[in-house]
């Protein structure tokens, strides 16, 4: 079973890594798919985000890190994947995630979405909150791995 784990990953957080580490236990291959969307302002380039994820998942044998543009279902098909993995945090994620899952299924009936509930510790972590805290020099050490923390500090000029 090949599964795709799509997202913006700008930057990757402990929340994402938790989902990755759990998903690789029940799929044959997990393709982490970074959305390349020039219309969406991002802090890190797609290549930087790809490098972050590659470094942080280097010990996982059944993982691939790719970027994609266009429709997720088309990327999944090109990679012979019929599963989409998404993490779920609080109830506030649900409506958006449900809409995406139903849309993707409408676009391709062969693709199923599997939701993985977050680990309690990661309930309040999101890439946008991490960036906001980093911008104002707050402590993000419990939200992102050290290399991401360092890169964020560098970006926001506290080094
Ligand atoms: O981490 P994010 O930003 O919540 O991830 C959103 C993502 C990348 C999964 C979603 O925007 C996506 O799949 N975009 C590709 C375009 C697409 O397929 N749209 C139709 C389904 S909503």
């Amino acid at each position: 079973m090949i599964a795709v784990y799509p997202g913006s990953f700008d930057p990757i957080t402990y929340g994402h890594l938790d989902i990755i580490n759990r998903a690789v236990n029940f799929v044959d291959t997990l393709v982490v798919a970074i959305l390349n969307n020039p219309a969406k302002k991002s802090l890190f380039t797609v290549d930087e985000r790809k490098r972050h994820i590659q470094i942080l998942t280097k010990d996982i044998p059944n993982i691939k890190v790719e970027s994609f543009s266009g429709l997720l279902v088309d990327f999944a098909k090109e990679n012979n994947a019929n599963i989409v993995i998404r993490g779920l945090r609080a109830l506030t994620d649900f409506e958006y995630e449900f809409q995406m899952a139903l849309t993707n299924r409408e676009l391709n009936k062969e693709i199923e979405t599997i939701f993985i509930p977050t680990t309690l510790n990661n309930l309040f972590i999101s890439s946008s909150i991490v960036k906001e805290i980093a911008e104002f020099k707050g402590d993000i050490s419990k939200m992102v791995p050290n290399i991401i923390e360092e890169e964020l500090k560098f970006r926001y000029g506290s080094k």
Side-chain angles (χ1 to χ4, degrees):
M1 180 167 87
I2 303 173
V4 174
Y5 178 44
S8 303
F9 305 105
D10 185 40
I12 188 162
T13 67
Y14 279 138
H16 297 124
L17 286 166
D18 170 47
I19 302 297
I20 289 174
N21 281 309
R22 289 157 66 196
V24 291
N25 290 330
F26 65 87
V27 302
D28 296 314
T29 303
L30 186 71
V31 185
V32 178
I34 307 163
L35 178 65
N36 187 356
N37 181 2
K40 202 171 157 185
K41 215 176 139 270
S42 62
L43 182 65
F44 294 104
T45 66
V46 169
D47 285 344
E48 287 167 334
R49 286 178 263 164
K50 191 169 174 180
R51 187 176 53 84
H52 295 157
I53 302 173
Q54 279 169 337
I55 293 170
L56 292 164
T57 60
K58 66 178 184 345
D59 296 328
I60 303 175
N62 56 335
I63 201 164
K64 271 172 38 180
V65 187
E66 307 282 355
S67 61
F68 77 106
S69 46
L71 289 178
L72 175 63
V73 290
D74 293 339
F75 175 82
K77 209 171 149 195
E78 282 160 26
N79 285 270
N80 300 314
N82 52 1
I83 301 286
V84 171
I85 303 277
R86 291 286 287 175
L88 270 189
R89 287 165 305 190
L91 212 59
T92 43
D93 283 345
F94 186 78
E95 200 167 321
Y96 169 61
E97 293 298 334
F98 199 59
Q99 185 184 25
M100 252 193 332
L102 263 59
T103 306
N104 285 334
R105 196 168 144 65
E106 219 29 65
L107 293 170
N108 186 336
K109 293 268 182 297
E110 286 164 15
I111 294 177
E112 286 291 357
T113 299
I114 296 182
F115 293 119
I116 300 185
T118 180
T119 298
L120 202 53
N121 287 347
N122 299 328
L123 194 58
F124 299 106
I125 304 178
S126 75
S127 299
S128 37
I129 282 188
V130 164
K131 283 181 280 194
E132 193 165 310
I133 298 174
E135 186 174 355
F136 298 109
K137 320 278 182 274
D139 180 9
I140 49 167
S141 60
K142 291 193 174 62
M143 300 179 176
V144 291
N146 200 255
I147 64 154
I148 304 292
E149 191 181 350
E150 293 304 314
E151 293 234 12
L152 282 165
K153 279 185 186 161
F154 183 72
R155 288 299 162 107
Y156 289 119
S158 59
K159 267 203 160 167

